[in-house]
Amino acid sequence: MKNLVPVNAKIIEILRKEISNEIFSILDEKYKFEPRGNFQNTAIYIAKPINTLQVSKIMINANAIGFGVVPYSGGSGLVCGQISLKGQPLLLSLERLDKIREFSPVSGVVKVEAGVVLSDLKKVSKAHNRQFPLSLASQGSCMIGGNLATNAGGVNVLKYGNARDLCYGLEVVMPDGKILNDLNDLKKDNSGYDIKNLIIGSEGTLGVITAASLKTFPLTNNVVALMSVNTTREAVKLYSFLSSKLEFSLHAFELINITGIKFLITTGLIKTFPISTSKNWWLLVEVGGAEQGDLIESFQKLLSQASALKMIDEIIISQNSKQYNDIWKIRELIPEANRLVGSVSNHDISLPLNRISAFIERAGAEILDISEELRINCFGHMGDGNLHYNIFPPAGKSKDEYKFYQREIQERVNNLVHEFKGSISAEHGIGRLKREELYKYSDPIKLDLMKSIKDLFDPNGILNPGSIFL
Ligand SMILES: Cc1cc2nc3c(=O)[nH]c(=O)nc-3n(C[C@H](O)[C@H](O)[C@H](O)COP(=O)(O)OP(=O)(O)OC[C@H]3O[C@@H](n4cnc5c(N)ncnc54)[C@H](O)[C@@H]3O)c2cc1C
């Protein structure tokens, strides 16, 4: 991390004169903590520009004066990429760049500014008889700029891909203030290096995304099923069975553990669970297509076959939109239940699908070996090989009392992920919390290339200092 000038009242005065009086202020409460409330932002001042030109001017001044800038959209990031933990950079909120610039009825391409809230874009798409399929439990607060900067995943990656796969082009303010205009809507563009895809997933370290050109898709009729399985081995078998039969109709394949359901009930987030909770593992499977009638029938048939083959146990399938929403609510509320219970350690990992159940068994034994008291809530986007592997204190105890286990848990889980040829960050990114792991487990050539790219884009190290790189 380079030596940077702290943003103080004198610098804010200069910025007010150079750019606008209105857009700078002292950080208010909303921006002080990350979603889990464990870390506090060290920034004191915030800028809320209203257009791309103002973002550009901020970056020009940051370079001239030598202060750091941390991009901030919805603030829902889970690895402290959006808040500084050291120094006094300027927090750059993109929330006022919130316009839908264009919606093409012919191509379904929508051009939006970075501060558009994901759920708002979903509503606008629906009003155009289309859907924007990125779906996260944080969609009421996260914004398109943040989604692209983190290459967000969520529950529909199986069918539609990550945020990266939904983007045709970007408008980006580079660290020196220049504006890269690549806001195209081309399906095919092999004219040189794909800079857009370097910026997507760079977590605000290579450029500030100010607008994006995004894909929308025709609406589908979806049904969702909730079912219990005895072991995760059966869950993987079921995935393989369904994906070979359903191919593009399989939209989501989510794993839920009994611990997650108990958390939902003890925190009061759900009152009852629709089917018996005698099993340890549950799956939420969504299929979608143009014709709902045919789909329900063929889905039901496949699930009966899977049941006859003893892959699954109890099943319920949504018959209407209320049941559909109620089933999804169970999965979507798990992160909130986890937050309320308070975790000792969180892991957003991905694994090769054929090794996922072996990993769950080995990791369970490792945690048990650390302490028999700890509770594991393992859930996530199983069809993508993505698990959220979170560790909790015993019932009635606080996370702080068990924090001393954190380092050992992290080391054992991450070593195991590495041994199983997985990734220590599947969808949340590196931010300021996973830097050591990135350095420890990455291919050294990849890491060197990443550092060279960062130096090339941002030679003064002013954009998101302290994030990704040590
Ligand atoms: C309850 C809950 C559920 C979640 N579920 C999922 C999930 O299923 N899948 C998933 O992938 N994530 C999930 N997340 C994490 C988070 O919502 C995503 O990472 C999201 O994409 C972050 O968007 P944001 O607008 O909140 O970005 P922020 O938190 O504001 O920022 C995230 C990162 O992007 C950078 N950034 C923000 N805006 C810009 C910009 N315009 N230009 C350049 N850099 C920028 C920031 O500096 C930071 O590094 C979840 C979080 C919560 C709290």
Side-chain angles (χ1 to χ4, degrees):
M1 197 167 153
K2 306 204 170 158
N3 274 340
L4 296 165
V5 177
V7 175
N8 53 27
K10 220 163 139 193
I11 290 178
I12 293 296
E13 233 6 79
I14 297 171
L15 296 175
R16 282 196 163 125
K17 274 194 199 127
E18 292 258 333
I19 306 171
S20 157
N21 197 22
E22 267 86 67
I23 64 171
F24 299 96
S25 61
I26 293 214
L27 206 69
D28 38 286
E29 212 51 44
K30 184 180 153 194
Y31 309 92
K32 285 203 173 140
F33 291 92
E34 43 73 51
R36 292 190 176 115
N38 292 332
F39 299 92
Q40 188 162 2
N41 202 341
T42 58
I44 293 180
Y45 290 96
I46 185 168
K48 295 181 188 173
I50 56 167
N51 56 39
T52 304
L53 202 61
Q54 288 185 342
V55 177
S56 161
K57 285 182 181 166
I58 289 170
M59 295 316 299
I60 290 169
N61 276 276
N63 267 288
I65 301 169
F67 63 82
V69 174
V70 176
Y72 187 104
S73 283
S76 70
L78 294 172
V79 287
C80 286
Q82 74 280 25
I83 65 165
S84 64
L85 300 179
K86 205 172 156 192
Q88 222 171 289
L90 180 70
L91 196 74
L92 175 61
S93 168
L94 280 304
E95 69 197 84
R96 289 163 80 186
L97 273 76
D98 61 354
K99 287 174 207 62
I100 308 276
R101 290 190 186 167
E102 194 183 318
F103 206 123
S104 164
V106 177
S107 61
V109 173
V110 59
K111 293 185 179 169
V112 301
E113 293 188 345
V116 169
V117 173
L118 176 56
S119 58
D120 290 344
L121 176 58
K122 290 171 89 70
K123 277 182 213 144
V124 169
S125 302
K126 208 161 176 198
H128 283 81
N129 243 344
R130 308 275 300 177
Q131 59 163 321
F132 183 65
L134 189 69
S135 288
L136 324 177
S138 54
Q139 63 197 29
S141 57
C142 64
M143 295 169 185
I144 295 305
N147 295 149
L148 289 166
T150 56
N151 186 26
V155 295
N156 277 334
V157 172
L158 209 53
K159 164 79 178 161
Y160 297 99
N162 293 305
R164 181 191 303 288
D165 301 300
L166 305 173
C167 181
Y168 282 122
L170 291 179
E171 178 189 273
V172 184
V173 174
M174 304 311 291
D176 63 4
K178 290 196 181 102
I179 301 169
L180 169 74
N181 190 347
D182 189 24
L183 203 58
N184 70 67
D185 43 10
L186 303 173
K187 209 168 204 161
K188 292 188 164 183
D189 179 16
N190 282 347
S191 58
Y193 294 167
D194 193 342
I195 303 299
K196 162 201 79 185
N197 267 325
L198 205 51
I199 287 166
I200 295 174
S202 68
E203 299 181 57
T205 60
L206 297 181
V208 181
I209 298 165
T210 49
S213 163
L214 302 168
K215 301 173 191 176
T216 63
F217 296 81
L219 291 169
T220 50
N221 287 302
N222 297 357
V223 286
V224 66
L226 185 69
M227 62 205 80
S228 55
V229 284
N230 287 320
T231 66
T232 53
R233 285 186 192 271
E234 279 144 20
V236 173
K237 266 193 217 152
L238 180 73
Y239 173 76
S240 172
F241 174 73
L242 289 181
S243 62
S244 69
K245 305 277 180 201
L246 289 163
E247 212 188 354
F248 298 119
S249 307
L250 191 58
H251 284 206
F253 193 93
E254 298 286 310
L255 180 72
I256 300 172
N257 183 253
I258 185 75
T259 309
I261 292 162
K262 284 182 182 158
F263 284 1
L264 286 170
I265 292 171
T266 53
T267 54
L269 289 173
I270 62 169
K271 297 275 169 285
T272 51
F273 189 65
I275 35 184
S276 144
T277 52
S278 57
K279 302 288 172 188
N280 278 338
W281 297 100
W282 300 85
L283 291 169
L284 183 156
V285 182
E286 176 171 293
V287 295
E291 300 297 330
Q292 196 174 38
D294 294 351
L295 195 66
I296 294 186
E297 212 175 287
S298 56
F299 190 35
Q300 259 165 349
K301 222 155 125 191
L302 285 173
L303 291 179
S304 309
Q305 285 172 21
S307 180
L309 293 167
K310 304 252 176 286
M311 284 183 224
I312 44 180
D313 199 38
E314 295 168 74
I315 314 162
I316 48 165
I317 304 181
S318 65
Q319 303 295 327
N320 53 47
S321 60
K322 183 182 177 315
Q323 286 176 1
Y324 174 87
N325 291 332
D326 285 349
I327 292 177
W328 264 115
K329 215 166 137 192
I330 294 169
R331 168 61 184 89
E332 279 164 357
L333 286 171
I334 292 176
E336 177 58 8
N338 286 344
R339 193 187 66 78
L340 292 171
V341 175
S343 62
V344 177
S345 188
N346 303 299
H347 306 262
D348 161 43
I349 55 181
S350 70
L351 295 144
L353 206 58
N354 59 353
R355 306 191 76 186
I356 214 163
S357 37
F359 173 88
I360 291 172
E361 285 158 20
R362 281 270 306 276
E366 295 274 350
I367 301 300
L368 207 69
D369 187 48
I370 296 171
S371 165
E372 290 183 8
E373 285 186 293
L374 294 168
R375 292 180 295 173
I376 304 166
N377 188 9
C378 169
F379 67 103
H381 318 299
M382 191 180 204
D384 309 325
N386 178 188
L387 296 178
H388 297 307
Y389 197 84
N390 297 348
I391 313 299
F392 294 82
K397 303 280 182 185
S398 83
K399 60 182 178 185
D400 295 333
E401 289 173 71
Y402 284 76
K403 269 280 179 253
F404 62 89
Y405 281 134
Q406 192 184 58
R407 198 141 191 110
E408 191 179 353
I409 296 170
Q410 284 175 350
E411 210 165 292
R412 294 234 209 162
V413 172
N414 289 333
N415 282 345
L416 203 60
V417 169
H418 191 60
E419 186 191 317
F420 276 70
K421 308 228 172 316
S423 166
I424 51 113
S425 181
E427 58 178 11
H428 297 161
I430 298 299
R432 292 175 173 79
L433 300 187
K434 298 268 167 82
R435 297 178 307 168
E436 282 178 20
E437 287 94 329
L438 176 77
Y439 278 64
K440 185 170 171 190
Y441 299 109
S442 285
D443 179 295
I445 307 288
K446 175 187 168 179
L447 204 55
D448 278 352
L449 283 168
M450 283 175 61
K451 285 179 197 158
S452 305
I453 292 167
K454 171 69 177 168
D455 284 344
L456 181 73
F457 275 62
D458 182 18
N460 297 326
I462 54 159
L463 196 55
N464 217 349
S467 185
I468 298 188
F469 301 98
L470 285 170

